[in-house]
């Protein structure tokens, strides 16, 4: 499983499939444990995420980590966290449908490898895209 995960990660890190590749600083593939039972999915990387190559960092990420810690969840221990699109849309705009369409294969394959019991969508775009793809969404924020 770890090998499959790493192959996919490397493929994604060099991806040029959509125009977001031209404006990103880093691909933000995901973070956490590859056998997580809970996966959190946001819409796309923001400025700090793009600069650091990690999902949900900065103030929002620290707050999320704090809430997760309160229920004994952490990306170091038992969850995985990623986004619908792996590169930052400029000015934090919503990802365009064609960008989501180009990128969602990475998310599908991440979920196939991780096989979580619960998927938590952080935001309407992530939830809608997963519903359209036929994923079972357990909880929506
Ligand atoms: S957003 Fe996704 S499809 Fe577009 S370049 Fe980044 S990794 Fe590739």
């Amino acid at each position: 499983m770890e090998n499959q995960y790493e192959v996919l990660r490397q493929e994604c890190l060099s991806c040029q499939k959509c125009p977001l590749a031209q404006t990103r600083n880093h691909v933000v593939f995901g973070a956490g444990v590859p056998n997580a039972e809970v996966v959190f999915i946001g819409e796309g990387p923001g400025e700090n995420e793009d600069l650091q190559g990690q999902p949900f960092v900065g103030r929002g990420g620290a707050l999320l980590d704090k809430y997760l810690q309160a229920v004994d969840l952490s990306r170091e221990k038992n969850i995985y966290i990623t986004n619908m699109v792996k590169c930052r849309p400029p000015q934090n705009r919503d990802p365009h449908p064609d960008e989501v369409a180009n990128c969602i294969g990475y998310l599908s394959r991440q979920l196939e490898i991780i096989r979580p019991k619960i998927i938590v969508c952080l935001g309407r775009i992530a939830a809608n895209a997963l519903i359209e793809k036929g994923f079972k969404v357990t909880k929506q924020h």
Side-chain angles (χ1 to χ4, degrees), residues 1-6 8 11 29 33-39 41 80 82 86 103-119 130 133-136:
M1 176 176 49
E2 284 201 14
N3 186 36
Q4 268 180 303
Y5 176 86
E6 193 48 33
L8 179 61
E11 184 186 326
F29 182 66
V33 295
N35 59 348
E37 293 195 346
V38 186
V39 170
I41 302 171
Y80 190 83
T82 187
K86 311 303 190 200
C103 207
I104 200 163
Y106 292 116
L107 179 63
S108 300
R109 288 159 68 195
Q110 281 172 308
L111 294 175
E112 278 167 25
I113 293 167
I114 298 170
R115 302 182 69 80
K117 288 187 178 153
I118 298 171
I119 296 171
L130 260 72
K133 285 290 282 183
F135 289 105
K136 187 178 173 191

Side-chain angles (χ1 to χ4, degrees), residues 12-22 24 27 84-88 99 102-104 106:
C12 187
L13 292 184
S14 58
C15 180
Q16 301 283 331
K17 281 199 291 189
C18 88
L20 296 181
Q22 307 309 313
R24 74 184 179 218
V27 174
M84 291 298 306
V85 293
K86 311 303 190 200
C87 303
R88 182 193 182 204
E99 292 160 354
N102 272 306
C103 207
I104 200 163
Y106 292 116

Side-chain angles (χ1 to χ4, degrees), residues 23-138:
T23 51
R24 74 184 179 218
N25 286 298
H26 291 100
V27 174
V28 182
F29 182 66
V33 295
N35 59 348
E37 293 195 346
V38 186
V39 170
F40 290 80
I41 302 171
E43 292 177 7
E47 185 179 13
N48 289 321
E49 288 78 15
D50 175 57
L51 289 173
Q52 296 183 36
Q54 291 295 322
F56 291 88
V57 293
R59 262 194 313 174
L63 195 60
L64 178 64
D65 284 340
K66 198 172 143 194
Y67 286 137
L68 292 173
Q69 226 170 26
V71 288
D72 201 28
L73 295 175
S74 85
R75 51 182 107 187
E76 288 78 29
K77 212 168 61 176
N78 51 13
I79 67 155
Y80 190 83
I81 189 156
T82 187
N83 285 297
M84 291 298 306
V85 293
K86 311 303 190 200
C87 303
R88 182 193 182 204
Q91 281 82 47
N92 293 342
R93 63 161 169 76
D94 288 349
H96 294 154
D98 59 318
E99 292 160 354
V100 174
N102 272 306
C103 207
I104 200 163
Y106 292 116
L107 179 63
S108 300
R109 288 159 68 195
Q110 281 172 308
L111 294 175
E112 278 167 25
I113 293 167
I114 298 170
R115 302 182 69 80
K117 288 187 178 153
I118 298 171
I119 296 171
V120 182
C121 292
L122 304 167
R124 107 195 112 78
I125 291 187
N128 287 345
L130 260 72
I131 289 164
E132 279 167 20
K133 285 290 282 183
F135 289 105
K136 187 178 173 191
V137 178
T138 306

